[in-house]
Amino acid sequence: MFLGVLLVFLLAFTSPFVIRILGIRYAWFLGLAAFGLTVYFASFLPAVSNGAIVTEQFAWLPSLGINLSFHLDGLSLLFALLISFVGGFIMIYAGGYLKGDQTLGQFYLILLSFMAAMLGLVLSDNLIVMFIFWELTSLTSYFLVAYKHSYESSRNSALQALLVTGSGGLAMLAGFLLLGNIAGSYQISALVAQAELIQSSNLFAPMLILVLLGALTKSAQFPFHFWLPNAMAAPTPVSAYLHSATMVKAGIYLMARLNPALGGGSLWFWLLGIAGALTVLSAGILALKQTDLKKLLAYSTLVALGMLTMLLAVGTSAAVKAAMVFLLAHSLYKAALFMAAGTIDHQTGSRDIREIAGLRKALPVTALAILLASMSLAGLPPKLGFIGKELAYEALIVQPFFLVAAVLANAAMLVVAVLVAIRPFWGRTLKAPRAVKGAPLSLYLGPIVLASLGLIFAIFPDLIELSKLPAVAAVLGKPYEFSLYLFPSSFTAALWLSIITVILGLGLYLIWPRVFALLNRISPQLDIGPAKAYALFITYLPKAAKAATKLIQGETLRRNLGVMMAFSVLLLGFTAFRYNAFANPQFSWSLNAYELFVVLLCAAGAVATVLARTKLMAVTALSVVGFSVALCFILFAAPDLAITQFMVETLLVIIVVLVMIRLPELRRERSFSFLNAVIAVGAGALITGLMLSVLNNPFNPALTQFFEAESVPGGFGRNIVNVILVDFRAIDTLGEIVVLAVAALGVMSLLRPKKEKS
């Protein structure tokens, strides 16, 4: 498994070089490589169908419980097959669609990296490893959406997708850390056995919300749905891949994967159920105001994702079965539809259904592919989409609100299917912005094969039962057997609901022009919601950041230091009092006369620094404090530290004085700021109290004993401090030497006399 992921990464990094040798043939080579990977994953199908689970694990950070572990069961196998199989057609399609693009090698580098990241995501058996692949999909999708980076719309859409999904990913990481802390393990396969412990924890609610934020943002569920239609700025091969088998399905995969451990409760049900229902309703309405083929398909993707989310919210055996069948059907028909829409755009120069018509003779294979795929989108027999819709209705019938939302949304999807399949291809005359030529094989091979598979799997459902059986069992966390059929033996409630859906959809299509006009007329007045909130956030974020920066980092260094010190004192002080850090500090007044002299000298230097009238006097007085600290080191038998302190103080005074000599004379006005005094006294008192409290803790001699024992055999020296500096922490010492060397060079440049200009 891991070798397969590495192989895809290897293909990605070599693409810019190999494509120069093979040219456009490289697209077919990548397609065959992806199909070979599909065969590799399919070889596990018999074993996984019999309940076997294939695992791989490599040590990474075992002390933190983080290993490169991979897990192949029914769910991950289903996704791996879809990612590799659909990916093979995408690779071939991209070669034809982007033929002549000078940066095609870079495109394949990013697309293959995205494919590898998705495979790593669905195969990961460790939460942290999954998060790494999760964020890698966000990063690579950002570059894919922004591929046409010369267009501002592409850059903005890519940034929007990255910010929304990336923010959700960070929330998900916090949830993963809580989940690992509750369960005592980051292994996903180990969470099922800890389900009762996890759901009884006091941290379960915040953990679940954080994890689902990642899933809902990735799969574009309400209120995070707005980024997905805008991502249509990406080239069509990217849109087809993201919408069918990869990016947007990652959130669905996460919900399905964690269902045995986190699902079944009321919080899970309501969070996912409401998000899914609002997504299908809003997306169904918004789809009716579109005329761009890719936008129509994008909103239909949102409906499908919302349907899957509702089914996983219900979580019954029937709902999970419906979700897995519907997921497979959607992956097949949506990839076919997007590629077919891209072919129309590529050959005609337009995706607007108002500008194209009568294309069936010029693009006959594309017309057939889009007709077959649209039937599955509409949920019409004999297509796999019909079976998935029937199963969904049967599962949602116990939840009337979800069922009504699904029926209304599916009626809108029937309108979308008719608009996509009929408007561009039918008409008495050919209508297009430019002359239409026949499409090459690379542009219609994927759509016709994938659309035909939806028909074959519906007529012969036994072909997919083996692959679906382990997927459903993996989501449920227990064995589950089922059978599929195209038509029920009698008129069931689900079949009646399908008939009602078709009637509503056809009626809605007949009045679609008026609905389209109405929605576009009132949309400016309804320009509110998450998309508007995001736009306002992006607009005012720089202004808010500027205001916050002005507040925290003022125009003077004194203000900046004051703000930083004040926050440090407040936060550190709160933490210290919260955890009772000042309990019983060790304090003693037993001082000798010479020790008292050093203390008074240090205090006098501090007072003189505050009262100094000039900056030069302040620097000189401050150096007294530093030299007093060096005397303290001598008194307590640390001559090496004292020498270092003397050197640092001397060098610092020299540098500052030399700099100030070159500056105009500035005199400090005597001023007293009560706030500054409070901050200074608070900082001093806090550090003093913490140091005294530290002295009260028992001394741990482990380090002392270690260095005493290892000084001679490990560092060949009896001066323990010297051995530590030059052997045990040599890199740290080297860094200090570099700092001193740089400072010495600065002093030398200041001491060097300037040459008079002639």
Side-chain angles (χ1 to χ4, degrees), residues 216 219-225 252 255 268-286 299 301-314 396 399-410 412-413:
L216 296 178
S219 287
Q221 295 300 286
F222 188 91
F224 311 108
H225 61 288
I252 301 299
M255 289 183 276
W268 171 279
F269 173 79
W270 289 113
L271 284 176
L272 294 187
I274 292 176
L278 292 177
T279 301
V280 298
L281 289 173
S282 60
I285 294 172
L286 292 173
Y299 282 105
T301 298
L302 286 175
V303 171
L305 295 173
M307 185 80 71
L308 289 169
T309 303
M310 286 194 300
L311 290 170
L312 291 174
V314 174
L396 295 176
Q399 299 293 335
F401 175 71
F402 295 166
L403 182 63
V404 170
V407 170
L408 294 177
N410 281 327
M413 290 307 96

Side-chain angles (χ1 to χ4, degrees), residues 7 20 54 59 66 95 146 166 219 274 301 304 357 408 507 509 624 712 729:
L7 177 62
R20 298 175 186 174
V54 183
I66 302 174
S219 287
I274 292 176
T301 298
L408 294 177
Y509 175 74
V624 174
V712 174
R729 44 174 290 188

